[in-house]
Amino acid sequence: MNTYEAILIHPGITGGRVSGNLHVKTNGILFESGAINHHIGFTNLSINAGGAANRFIFFSDSTINSISIYTADKSILKDNILVSNNKFKQEIKKSKSTLNGPLRGIIIALIIIGLFIGSLYFLKDKMVESMASQVPISWEKKAGDKLFNTLSLQYHFIKNDSLKNEFIEVAKPLFNQIEKEGYKVDLYFVKDPTINAFALPGGKVIIQTGLIENAKSWEEVMGVLSHELSHVTRRHHIRGIINNLGIFAILSATVGDVSAIAGTFINMGGELASLSNSRDFEIEADETGREYLINAKINPAGLISFFKTLEKEEKTILDSTSVKDIDLSFLSTHPDTKFRIEKLKEKQKEDKTPYPLLPNTFNAFKTKLLNLK
């Protein structure tokens, strides 16, 4: 005979109820307490779940409505004596279902929340891209101008209209692709041996002499330029800021106004220089840049060729520098160069387009630029 803590509701008791122990016997249930004992035979016994939040199991006498016994101990529904009695089979099943109702509700709510969070994770990039597209390009240009003013104090700019015009003439088909996206490209050369070029929000492009010195053709330079300009047209600067704001800010802006984000973007100014592109942004810029080159009738193989030069340079730096002196931040935000080369090569295999050669003037241009004082 199993015993369960229970409460008897009885009109003959002071206060109408009393706590005690409930015993399941072979012929019925027996409630015992110091004040009263009460027995309900199986013939008249009915079982159901209910009470506050459906947390209790009630045992009542079908002949006496004013008397019932209830317990919060759910294990009573597994009592062998009750389970083996076919009379209570449906009542026990229904009671279990009622008791599990709140739990099912919680589980369903958790599943819905989990699916919502999961969908946010998968849709976050699309949401961020959509929000970034709502920021006016004019605001983006203001942020780029503020950043350019900050960088102007750090770089030695090369001013030579003749060389600049020569470069623009070669790059014009590429620049036309960018201008279709609503951006005007402003070109600047700086004296810096680092193999690099970068574009600021709004369309200003900085080309360092180290890039020109290490490139072997116009196609390579245009390849790098198309990649950097893709960071602008794909709104990577703005998307990076929105990503940093967090999912709640994203949700808020999604259902509200993006002007606060746009304002934040403009006010960051020089701080934008410290933001690095993610690996995904770099791959996206590779792919978008390649599309720009194809549309401009410039051989995208130049981008692959330059990446090979960059890969050799990286290997040289790694081989000649101790681990503690290496800037690992670049490695954390940039995909492996070899991986990028292979990814572009796969695309190149499908491309059977005959591209016209760009002017055979690159080496002369390089010599003149590098010899400028």
Side-chain angles (χ1 to χ4, degrees), residues 131-137 139-140 235 238 242 258 261-262 265:
M131 288 167 55
S133 67
Q134 297 177 53
V135 177
I137 291 177
W139 292 30
E140 196 174 1
R235 319 298 289 270
I238 302 176
I242 297 173
V258 297
I261 289 176
F265 181 73

Side-chain angles (χ1 to χ4, degrees), residues 14 88 116 181 193 269-270 338 347 370:
T14 303
F88 305 118
F116 177 70
E181 305 281 351
K338 186 176 182 180
K347 296 275 187 182
L370 296 180

Side-chain angles (χ1 to χ4, degrees), residues 270-290:
E271 296 174 34
L272 284 168
S274 64
L275 289 177
S276 56
N277 290 307
S278 70
R279 290 170 178 250
D280 289 340
F281 285 174
E282 291 297 335
I283 293 297
E284 193 173 84
D286 287 347
E287 294 173 351
T288 302
R290 184 177 183 278

Side-chain angles (χ1 to χ4, degrees), residues 146-155 157 198 200 206 273:
K146 288 183 71 173
L147 177 54
F148 181 78
N149 290 336
T150 301
L151 295 176
S152 297
L153 305 175
Q154 303 173 22
Y155 286 103
F157 284 84
F198 55 92
L200 306 181
I206 313 295

Side-chain angles (χ1 to χ4, degrees), residues 87-272:
K87 179 180 184 296
F88 305 118
K89 186 175 182 179
Q90 289 302 318
E91 291 181 356
I92 289 175
K93 182 178 179 181
K94 185 178 179 181
S95 295
K96 285 181 177 179
S97 177
T98 302
L99 291 169
N100 291 330
L103 178 61
R104 281 199 302 272
I106 292 171
I107 292 173
I108 291 171
L110 289 174
I111 290 173
I112 292 173
I113 292 170
L115 289 173
F116 177 70
I117 293 173
S119 66
L120 282 182
Y121 176 80
F122 289 108
L123 296 174
K124 179 172 176 269
D125 288 344
K126 289 294 181 185
M127 292 168 63
V128 169
E129 188 171 4
S130 174
M131 288 167 55
S133 67
Q134 297 177 53
V135 177
I137 291 177
S138 60
W139 292 30
E140 196 174 1
K141 188 176 184 304
K142 288 179 183 177
D145 290 343
K146 288 183 71 173
L147 177 54
F148 181 78
N149 290 336
T150 301
L151 295 176
S152 297
L153 305 175
Q154 303 173 22
Y155 286 103
H156 173 66
F157 284 84
I158 298 173
K159 296 179 181 179
N160 186 293
D161 290 340
S162 176
L163 286 178
K164 182 177 179 178
N165 291 335
E166 184 179 344
F167 188 100
I168 291 173
E169 187 62 32
V170 177
K172 191 173 181 179
L174 174 61
F175 287 177
N176 286 341
Q177 302 303 311
I178 308 305
E179 288 171 2
K180 287 178 183 178
E181 305 281 351
Y183 295 89
K184 182 181 181 301
V185 180
D186 291 326
L187 186 67
Y188 299 89
F189 295 100
V190 297
K191 201 166 188 64
D192 191 312
T194 311
I195 306 174
N196 196 21
F198 55 92
L200 306 181
K204 281 184 169 60
V205 180
I206 313 295
I207 298 177
Q208 298 177 185
T209 51
L211 170 65
I212 302 298
E213 184 176 3
N214 287 274
K216 297 185 288 293
S217 66
W218 282 121
E219 282 80 3
E220 288 192 358
V221 176
M222 296 303 125
V224 174
L225 208 55
S226 68
H227 168 93
E228 296 302 331
L229 286 167
S230 294
H231 284 308
V232 176
T233 60
R234 297 306 300 268
R235 319 298 289 270
H236 287 166
H237 304 94
I238 302 176
R239 286 161 66 184
I241 289 172
I242 297 173
N243 274 324
N244 288 346
L245 291 177
I247 192 67
F248 291 107
I250 293 171
L251 283 174
S252 175
T254 300
V255 299
D257 186 7
V258 297
S259 60
I261 289 176
T264 299
F265 181 73
I266 292 177
N267 291 329
M268 286 189 74
E271 296 174 34
L272 284 168

